[in-house]
């Protein structure tokens, strides 16, 4: 456990009577069984805190099965806005008899455990506050239907926790209304269950723990949403017309959300017809093949998948690269290799996405780190794919994609769609010539026409085999070399089009931190922790491959640069090393690969240890 | 749409285009390859039907057969995809632009070996596409290995004998609900041209499994996919004629001798009875017929199955009439109000 | 054109009458049409020179189609044993009317062109010796059958060239006998055609060029074979039992040769039954899937493919890595990306093979550079795959795999098969325990049992999802991390088991050269060329990934290290840079990517240019 | 081979093994899942037949169904491969060790969606393998999307209706020459056990397409793969019994009422006539029957097709009787003389 945290909590033990209050800074872990309907209770609890104006995040640790196995939901509330995972559990709600003992053992000293009274855990810990609650008994009062009763049992703990922490009933009720939308009956039942919890606390429990929620104003105007939904919405507002997919955790919800919202907002009001096609493909090869066919014909087309799907897309990815066809692939990363841990998060596909396919293939890759960026990059990815006529990967992860995040409301896109260098019939008429693969503008990007263009110059032939500037079949060494060199040039042009890194230079810092994607949230917190320990740091957050030139400058500016990522091999670190050449010995890797999202304390410890060794001259 | 000009010289079609407009580059296939024959019939069919070249989109996988889209309708866009995965690419393109006339050309290796999965799902979806299998029972381009349509007992040049049963793509297509299924022979242009025209007029997937001998690797004695074997064993189901929608049908034949099949665009396929009565509207009958022919080693050719009523994938998706690819931003980007509403939902 | 070559040929022009002799050092290019049967004529010509005792190599530049397109066959004879491609053509035999003018133009000044008289190329070049020959007319004398005549026309040029160069008729006849094996009729006909050529030269042509073949003793006891056949034979002698394949150029001949030789040498004499299964799979996914199934069940199983196949194998490669199942995959590289140039050579799959699959996956990769190594590594690959229970890639290329190379006869393997850590029924009985994924020996390599082992301890469950040491399903962070760390450890152990690099340190050298695979042949020649220009060099030939520690030492020892490879992106160079850390700025890349095999002069020019710039302080 | 002990207590099978030896780990599937029912029947069939656990090799892809091999015959090797590609893995393993009894379990998504290509080629090769499809018409593990066996018009919980025709894996299997094709229902153990036993006795691929309702995602009104629907619409072809080769057949039934089908190892399947006469040896009849049942929305169950004479892939390859995997070096490394001969050939 971290020193910082221990200091903050010193004095919080039961012997000392009522401990010092800990306000708006704790993490809750709800341990349940999947398929038991705890998901909505968890969301309601999270949203209630959010509605209290306190920054909050929720993370679901669920098994790769459908029902009956242990599941944990972690809620972090933090007045400073830190929303990364915390290693420590302050409050545990142990609803799953199978894991309850472990769950309670896992609470940090000074913490709280709420559990089913019948489990008899009263003697398990002396250093935490224990609140037994007869959930089962209370549930029998909630409904005569056993099935419903089981569902409502979860909502009872929401009431218990709310009352113990001081979360307002109004906020809970509002959260329930959001959760169950307009279904009055469901709202009513759930509120009733919550009240059972509240009443029980009032009647039977004495608050003996330090944790409290107090109203703040930090969440006003914000939304709560998961990254997959954000991406789906972003794509919808970016004019996406063809979506293909093959279900795979944790990407399925991205496309399922598309189905939902496209059906609502993308049916032409006049004709009643769809302005899109969403197709469940037979596998990931087909999914990408369809995207490529659609991109070739001019649609904004995308698919979403995860690691195993990426591995299946190799051949088609190379085709898109070599024939220069726009395509967008979202990879919601999970733990690999192979099937790996389908319900655990990872950043392990950096190299496989970047290098995907044989031969000298390389791709544009984007790394959103927030739901706002999921929304934004959904459009950016299409713009880049069409501008550069190539396949673009967007690497999100399970943590970002499937968990709930606070965010600013999405901004209506202010830029027109960049459809890239497409020549229309009129253009052809005006130009009088067209060669599909010629570098007319010196930026490596050729022009294209769409099938169906009614002009004798429009037609050309697309092939994944060797071709010359006129798109004619060619095995000539010069044609091949020209093409390959142009593709490199094109990728170079892309460096200034892709989202540039977010850089925060601290002029006093000797060290720099580099991260990407969801690791950002822990790094932000780490920087403050480091500062507390007297270590100033700069920070560069990578948002895309290929790299932009600023990277080298950042590395050169700092004695040591820590590249933090969530995979075993330090994949981004290797790419950075290659990029910065002899400066590579400034790079140090901080790696986290357990399947759980990275936390600030882990990074802080790694960095301080390394810095200490540095000082000691090791 | 170019309109029809009635006062054209005889060497052009109804669009005023000469046959050369439907040709492509010179073939680089072996002299005598069956695939070149099919190419000629495609050229002829599209010319005679009068399809505007720019409306055509050509697709293929990889193989000698898959090279042929470069050899016809040069003024249309073509896409030579990867081996066995053309169906996905064609599906995507046809969704992006439903106004295209899609022609896919594939080999028996491309379709029945590596590609059988995508083939099946294409059929299942009923994607609007003319799908021509240039079936020679071998992998031509990789020099003569057996494909999954090679007959049991058929021999490679090096003496290796095939032990595995062939996949009959027409049987699969019929079982999977394909609504236009024909078998033909590259050496039978008279039959192939109307079958292709029918496929152009059809809505949904039109499958043509065309025996197309590989003169280099599978045209020897012992091959069941040779010109000689095919010629000797061809059994035509019917004589086929095609009357496009813009021509008057003339009923100048005796009762019962001819069956007219109306196609989706109003064109007609005219099946003139030969030895037997054949009604291509019955699945079980079609399957029985093929099975029997296969047992006898007969190459049964003609329109095996046709179903006018079948919905295609575009119907299933309830798509707009206009190509999705080129819809204006106003149609594909919901309003500011929509976003506000959504933001509200999540707040 | 290179300076070196120009110097050597100075004075060889027709104005000066009979030029100085050039003995046993030239390259011949035969330009024909594919499918015309020129292949056997080319082989006979090459073998005739070989039988003269002169080192020789033959390279086929053929189109990706079956018949009717231009094809070139290049023979290089060299008394020093250089067998890499040369850029310059000394003698051209222009049999293809379509390309004849270009072919003749392509001959280096001072060279020779032999061509069909009817083509009337007499005025095309003044700086080379022209020998028109009425091949068509001569052919009519060879046979009444037009088809046969066409074939024999090729053999006529063999006679012409042999006579002009002074290759003995006996050697030609012997080569014909080898080529047509026991078929007396064919031998007779072909000898007759050769004689037509010889007689024509004697009767009608006057030798006016400097090139001659003179008997040497440098090829005695050697064999001529292509790398794919060598690999096939190597696998046969390594006890390979299951082969799966999907045809793809340039790998097909590997498996086709297996079919041929396994049918001859691997049928059990007692039962008449096969000791192997060779299966033509439906695609490359299935091919690797079958190999994995077979490897799991204990067979030595392999497949062979090329780039597109590698791209399709991603998912299964990750499965083999993560479940620890032996598998061998030969990648006979051709030019990518995508379908690329199927009949052109490349070393472009280094990164895709090494990193194949999503997540933190990495593989053992071997790089044979000769047919001897193809034979040897076929066994090494199985030994490594079974010892390390993982997938092993062997990266050959079209140049090595499909061209004819001189070699020492294959050595009978002197080591027993290394079947790795397999526990039998007796072992289990003795040990009394078995955990599939436990690191018992500290080398990262666990033990396994084979299905069918009759012991209650034997069974375990294999899965591509998370698992613990007992092979039980697990999502626990610790189990995952343990497993991933052990896999790294295993890969570290492999460093000392894989074929070590071949290092030649020149104590006077300031520069080092690093290459792998077929690039070796050009590098060997380059070193001598550099020496002539006063540049001493050391040389390290990589033979496997992961790298061995000696690599860093080699780099540190030299001021500049040129990594030479046949791809655009310098893929191996990047891996080396990563390995050597801050020494990476010593690395310079020499890249060749045209589809034609790399030649020494190209490398020499690149290195001397760089060295010159160095001196000039640029 | 363990020999049969005739003096066993009644709670063990002929090998002296109790039923528990055929069980595996506890299931982690949803309570009531059809797949668990099938697991129980597999346990029972292998127990009753008396297969030595160590001789069994279990294969699967990915899905809820594909998890089940961990739940039966714990003392056998199991392999949970990747999604849709189990057939290739099983093929390789069965080639490496032909003495294994292979059992593959797959889902309808695993087999008919992503895996249809490998499935077809497995059938075409006739790999010796018991192939059980646990068919629920949805992707269970990814939370209820339609698979390629979902019926037209069947509804997801969220209201989405399937428009695409289902793939009937039995029809495909029969068309592709599979020699043992059965359909059954997870809720019908009496039928399933003898069908699995027959599959054990069979040589070549034995396909069992077993309707196995997903209680979580596809057991509602409107689903044609629910317990309710299957129970109401099950039409048994015959009553099925299995007599293993080591038991005497007793002809205690009236003439014509029962059909005995002899299997490869000498065991018999006994088909007792119900409403109709059914002879599972005729392809066309089998296909016709299935087609009609599908049209009527009937779930026809029983042994649909059987062909004793069909060669399997091991025959085609002329393989040794011993497992290739463990042949000694002397049998797999040719002699020094052989290498000398080869070197000579290339010199
Ligand atoms: C992934 C992949 N595997 C293998 C190949 C090699 N290959 C090219 S064409 C072909 C077979 C073509 O056979 P078919 O489709 O029957 O066409 P044909 O040449 O007979 O007309 C193969 C295996 C490839 N291009 N891509
Ligand atoms: C390559 C790949 N794509 C997608 C997935 C995600 N996935 C896991 S199981 C499954 C479907 C399972 O459906 P089915 O085979 O019918 O089995 P069920 O769960 O219904 O028994 C999918 C799509 C995966 N594991 N691998
Ligand atoms: S090899 Fe066969 S299929 Fe290919 S072009 Fe030649 S004849 Fe045609
Ligand atoms: S989700 Fe469906 S298929 Fe999966 S275990 Fe639950 S009931 Fe069975
Ligand atoms: Mg073919
Ligand atoms: Mg299912």
């Amino acid at each position: 456990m971290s020193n910082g945290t221990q200091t903050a909590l010193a004095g919080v033990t039961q012997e000392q009577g009522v401990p010092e209050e800990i306000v708006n800074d704790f993490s809750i872990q709800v341990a349940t069984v999947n398929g038991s309907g705890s998901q909505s209770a968890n969301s309601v609890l999270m949203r209630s805190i959010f509605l209290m104006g306190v920054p909050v995040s929720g993370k679901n640790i669920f098994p790769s099965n459908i029902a009956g196995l242990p599941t944990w939901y972690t809620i972090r509330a933090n007045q400073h806005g830190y929303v990364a995972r915390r290693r420590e559990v302050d409050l545990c709600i142990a609803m799953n008899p199978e894991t309850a003992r472990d769950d309670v053992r896992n609470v940090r000293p000074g913490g709280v455990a709420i559990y089913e009274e019948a489990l008899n855990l009263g003697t398990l810990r002396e250093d935490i506050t224990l609140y037994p609650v007869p959930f089962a008994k209370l549930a029998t009062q909630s409904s005569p239907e056993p099935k419903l009763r089981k569902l409502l049992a979860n909502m009872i703990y929401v009431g218990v926790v709310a009352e113990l922490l001081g979360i307002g009933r109004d906020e809970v009720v509002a959260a329930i209304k959001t959760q169950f939308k307009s279904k009055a009956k469901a709202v009513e039942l759930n509120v009733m269950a919550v009240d059972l919890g509240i009443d029980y606390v009032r009647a039977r429990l004495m608050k003996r723990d330090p944790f409290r929620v107090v109203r703040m104003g930090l969440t006003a105007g914000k939304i709560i949403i998961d990254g997959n939904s954000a991406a789906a919405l972003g794509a919808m507002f970016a004019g996406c017309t063809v979506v293909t997919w093959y279900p795979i955790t944790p990407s399925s919800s991205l496309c399922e959300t598309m189905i939902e919202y496209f059906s609502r907002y993308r049916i032409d009001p006049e004709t009643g017809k769809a302005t899109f096609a969403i197709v469940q493909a037979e596998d990931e090869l087909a999914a990408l093949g369809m995207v490529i066919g659609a991109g070739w014909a001019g649609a904004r087309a995308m698919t979403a998948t995860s690691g195993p799907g990426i591995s299946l897309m190799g051949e088609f990815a190379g085709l898109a690269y070599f024939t220069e066809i726009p395509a967008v692939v979202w990879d919601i990363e999970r733990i690999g290799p192979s099937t790996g841990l389908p319900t655990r998060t990872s950043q392990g596909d950096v190299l496989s996405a970047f290098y995907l396919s044989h031969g000298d293939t390389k791709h544009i890759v984007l790394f959103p780190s927030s739901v706002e960026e999921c929304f934004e990059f959904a459009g950016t990815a299409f713009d880049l794919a069409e501008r550069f006529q190539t396949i673009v990967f967007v690497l999100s992860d399970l943590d970002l994609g499937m968990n709930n995040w606070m965010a600013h409301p999405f901004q209506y896109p202010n830029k027109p769609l960049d459809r890239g260098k497409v020549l229309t019939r009129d253009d052809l008429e005006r130009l009088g010539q067209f060669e599909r693969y010629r570098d007319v503008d010196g930026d490596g990007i050729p022009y294209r026409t769409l099938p169906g263009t009614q002009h004798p110059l429009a037609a050309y032939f697309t092939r994944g085999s060797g071709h010359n500037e006129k798109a004619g079949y060619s095995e000539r060494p010069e044609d091949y070399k020209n093409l390959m060199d142009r593709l490199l040039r094109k990728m170079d042009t892309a460096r200034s089009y892709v989202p540039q890194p977010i850089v925060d230079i601290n002029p006093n810092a000797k060290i720099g931190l580099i991260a990407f994607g969801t690791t950002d949230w822990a790094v932000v917190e780490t920087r403050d922790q480091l500062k507390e320990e007297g270590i100033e740091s700069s920070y560069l957050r990578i948002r895309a491959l290929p790299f932009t030139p600023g990277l080298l400058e950042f590395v050169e500016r700092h004695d040591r640069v820590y590249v933090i990522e969530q995979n075993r091999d330090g994949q981004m670190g290797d790419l950075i090393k290659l990029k910065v050449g002899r400066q590579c010995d400034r790079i140090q890797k901080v790696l986290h690969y357990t399947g759980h999202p990275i936390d600030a304390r882990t990074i802080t410890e790694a960095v301080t240890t390394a810095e200490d060794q540095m000082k000691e001259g090791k | 749409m170019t309109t029809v000009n009635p006062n054209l010289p005889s060497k052009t079609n109804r669009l005023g285009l000469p046959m050369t407009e439907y040709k492509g580059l010179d073939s680089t296939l072996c002299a005598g390859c069956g695939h070149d024959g099919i190419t000629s019939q495609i050229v002829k069919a599209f010319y005679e039907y009068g399809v505007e070249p720019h409306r055509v989109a050509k697709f293929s996988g990889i193989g000698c057969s898959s090279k042929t889209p470069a050899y016809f309708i040069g003024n249309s866009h073509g896409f030579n995809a990867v081996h066995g995965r053309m169906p996905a690419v064609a599906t995507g393109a046809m969704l992006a632009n439903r106004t295209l006339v899609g022609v896919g050309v594939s080999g028996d290796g491309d379709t029945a070996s590596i590609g059988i999965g995508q083939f099946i799902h294409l059929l299942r979806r009923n994607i609007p596409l003319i799908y021509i299998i240039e079936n020679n029972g071998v992998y031509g381009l990789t020099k003569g290995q057996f494909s999954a349509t090679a007959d049991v007992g058929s021999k490679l040049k090096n003496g290796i004998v095939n032990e595995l049963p062939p996949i009959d793509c027409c049987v699969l297509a019929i079982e999977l609900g394909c609504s236009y299924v024909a078998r033909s022979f590259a050496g039978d242009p008279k039959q192939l041209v109307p079958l292709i025209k029918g496929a152009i007029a059809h809505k949904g997937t039109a499958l043509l499994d065309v025996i197309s001998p590989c003169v280099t690797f599978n045209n020897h004695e012992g091959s069941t996919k040779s010109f000689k074997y095919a010629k000797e064993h061809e059994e035509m189901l019917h004589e086929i004629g095609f009357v496009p929608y813009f021509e008057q049908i003339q009923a100048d034949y005796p009762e019962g001798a001819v069956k007219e099949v109306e196609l989706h665009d109003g064109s007609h396929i005219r099946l003139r009875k030969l030895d037997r009565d054949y009604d291509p509207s019955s699945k079980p009958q079609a399957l029985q017929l093929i099975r029997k022919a296969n047992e006898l080693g007969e190459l049964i050719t003609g329109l095996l199955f046709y179903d006018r009523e079948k919905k295609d994938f575009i119907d299933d998706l309830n798509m707009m009439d206009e190509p999705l690819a080129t819809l204006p931003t106003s149609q594909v980007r919901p309003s500011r109000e929509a976003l506000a509403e959504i933001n509200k939902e999540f707040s």
Side-chain angles (χ1 to χ4, degrees), chain B residues 187-200:
Chain B
D188 187 354
K190 233 182 103 200
Q191 186 191 57
L192 194 46
V193 172
L195 282 173
I196 297 171
K197 287 186 194 163
I200 298 171

Side-chain angles (χ1 to χ4, degrees), chain A residues 224 237 261 265 268 274 412 462, chain B residues 80 320 333-334 341 345-346:
Chain A
I224 292 184
F237 282 91
Y261 282 89
Y265 292 103
D268 189 85
Y412 196 74
T462 303
Chain B
N80 189 196
M320 309 207 78
R333 172 174 280 171
E341 188 175 277
E345 201 181 312
F346 287 97

Side-chain angles (χ1 to χ4, degrees), chain B residues 168 170-171 174 183 286-294 304:
Chain B
D168 189 310
C170 290
V171 167
I174 294 169
R183 177 160 281 152
L287 290 167
Q288 175 106 356
L289 175 89
I290 301 171
R291 193 169 305 119
K292 212 175 245 162
N294 288 350
L304 297 168

Side-chain angles (χ1 to χ4, degrees), chain A residues 237-264:
Chain A
F237 282 91
C240 172
T241 43
V242 174
V243 183
T244 68
W245 66 302
Y246 189 72
I248 184 166
T249 309
S251 76
S252 307
S253 65
L254 202 167
C255 299
E256 285 169 330
T257 307
M258 290 185 113
I259 296 175
E260 189 185 335
Y261 282 89
F262 277 59
S263 315
R264 262 198 253 163

Side-chain angles (χ1 to χ4, degrees), chain A residues 28 41 52 54 63 133 168 197-198 231 239 256 292 296 298 307 361 389 447 520 541 547 559:
Chain A
I28 304 178
M52 292 286 286
V54 181
V133 179
I198 295 176
E256 285 169 330
I292 289 173
W296 175 77
T361 311
Q389 299 173 29
Y447 285 80
D520 179 54
R541 177 161 68 84
F547 290 130
D559 296 344

Side-chain angles (χ1 to χ4, degrees), chain A residues 158-236:
Chain A
V158 175
V160 169
V161 174
E163 183 60 19
L164 278 171
L165 290 176
I167 301 169
R169 183 177 179 279
D170 286 357
E171 278 83 356
V172 179
V173 170
I176 287 174
K177 282 185 178 153
T178 304
Q179 181 70 27
F180 297 96
K181 289 175 178 157
S182 44
K183 294 169 214 149
K185 178 75 189 153
V187 171
E188 186 188 318
L189 269 170
N190 280 282
V191 169
M192 191 255 297
V194 164
D195 283 338
L196 281 171
I198 295 176
D199 293 346
Y200 182 81
V201 174
R202 289 187 184 161
R204 305 292 194 91
L205 294 183
M206 228 248 291
K207 168 101 175 163
R208 284 172 288 127
D209 68 87
F211 302 101
R212 274 194 59 202
V213 176
V214 170
R215 282 195 185 75
M216 298 176 81
L218 294 179
T219 65
K222 294 217 168 153
I223 60 174
I224 292 184
I225 193 168
D226 58 279
N228 283 349
S229 297
L233 294 169
M236 181 171 77

Side-chain angles (χ1 to χ4, degrees), chain A residues 71-346:
Chain A
T71 303
W72 296 270
Y73 191 78
T74 318
I75 296 172
R76 179 172 184 187
N78 183 281
Q79 76 271 42
H80 304 298
Y82 301 140
V83 292
R85 187 173 79 91
R86 259 185 78 212
R87 286 191 308 210
E88 297 78 23
V89 174
D90 294 315
L91 291 93
C92 151
I93 299 142
M95 302 292 286
N96 180 2
E98 216 185 297
T99 63
R101 299 185 78 84
D102 283 344
D103 292 329
V104 172
R105 278 205 195 92
N106 196 33
V107 176
R108 65 118 173 136
V112 173
I114 297 163
Y115 59 92
E116 165 59 51
E117 189 170 52
L119 292 174
N120 264 330
L121 305 178
T123 56
L124 202 59
R125 295 278 299 265
E126 307 227 309
D127 57 344
I128 64 175
T129 310
L130 298 173
Y131 297 115
V133 179
F135 287 110
K137 270 194 225 155
L138 291 174
T140 55
Q141 305 170 21
S142 71
S143 165
E145 263 187 70
K147 212 173 151 190
L148 202 58
R149 217 185 282 162
K150 223 170 134 191
L151 285 170
L152 291 174
N154 293 303
M155 210 48 80
I156 298 176
Y157 84 65
V158 175
V160 169
V161 174
E163 183 60 19
L164 278 171
L165 290 176
I167 301 169
R169 183 177 179 279
D170 286 357
E171 278 83 356
V172 179
V173 170
I176 287 174
K177 282 185 178 153
T178 304
Q179 181 70 27
F180 297 96
K181 289 175 178 157
S182 44
K183 294 169 214 149
K185 178 75 189 153
V187 171
E188 186 188 318
L189 269 170
N190 280 282
V191 169
M192 191 255 297
V194 164
D195 283 338
L196 281 171
I198 295 176
D199 293 346
Y200 182 81
V201 174
R202 289 187 184 161
R204 305 292 194 91
L205 294 183
M206 228 248 291
K207 168 101 175 163
R208 284 172 288 127
D209 68 87
F211 302 101
R212 274 194 59 202
V213 176
V214 170
R215 282 195 185 75
M216 298 176 81
L218 294 179
T219 65
K222 294 217 168 153
I223 60 174
I224 292 184
I225 193 168
D226 58 279
N228 283 349
S229 297
L233 294 169
M236 181 171 77
F237 282 91
C240 172
T241 43
V242 174
V243 183
T244 68
W245 66 302
Y246 189 72
I248 184 166
T249 309
S251 76
S252 307
S253 65
L254 202 167
C255 299
E256 285 169 330
T257 307
M258 290 185 113
I259 296 175
E260 189 185 335
Y261 282 89
F262 277 59
S263 315
R264 262 198 253 163
Y265 292 103
R266 286 285 297 277
I267 302 287
D268 189 85
E270 275 166 39
T271 58
K273 297 257 177 158
T275 64
F276 63 89
I278 301 184
V279 184
Q280 186 182 316
E282 61 271 30
D283 65 10
E284 291 86 349
L285 287 91
L288 182 53
M290 290 177 195
V291 165
I292 289 173
W296 175 77
R300 296 205 129 184
M302 65 169 273
T303 182
T305 186
S306 192
I310 294 292
S311 280
L312 286 172
M313 290 178 178
E315 193 188 22
F316 264 130
L319 179 73
Y321 174 79
F322 201 51
T323 56
E324 302 179 66
I325 293 174
V328 171
V329 178
W330 281 75
D331 175 7
I332 315 302
E333 291 163 292
R334 66 190 214 186
I335 279 269
S338 197
T339 303
L341 307 180
T343 58
R344 295 291 186 268
T345 196
S346 161

Side-chain angles (χ1 to χ4, degrees), chain A residues 224 236-237 261 264-266 268 272-274 280 282 290 293 297-298 410 412 415 417 449 452 454 460 462, chain B residues 54 75 77-80 85 88-89 92 118 121 125 318-320 325 331-334 341 343 345-347:
Chain A
I224 292 184
M236 181 171 77
F237 282 91
Y261 282 89
R264 262 198 253 163
Y265 292 103
R266 286 285 297 277
D268 189 85
K273 297 257 177 158
Q280 186 182 316
E282 61 271 30
M290 290 177 195
F410 298 127
Y412 196 74
K415 281 188 301 186
L417 310 181
T449 57
Q454 190 175 4
Y460 70 91
T462 303
Chain B
H54 76 271
N75 276 339
H77 278 68
F79 197 146
N80 189 196
R85 322 287 175 188
V89 172
Q118 293 211 341
H121 289 286
R125 292 196 183 93
N318 187 32
M319 271 167 57
M320 309 207 78
Q331 278 191 285
V332 297
R333 172 174 280 171
E341 188 175 277
N343 273 326
E345 201 181 312
F346 287 97
S347 65

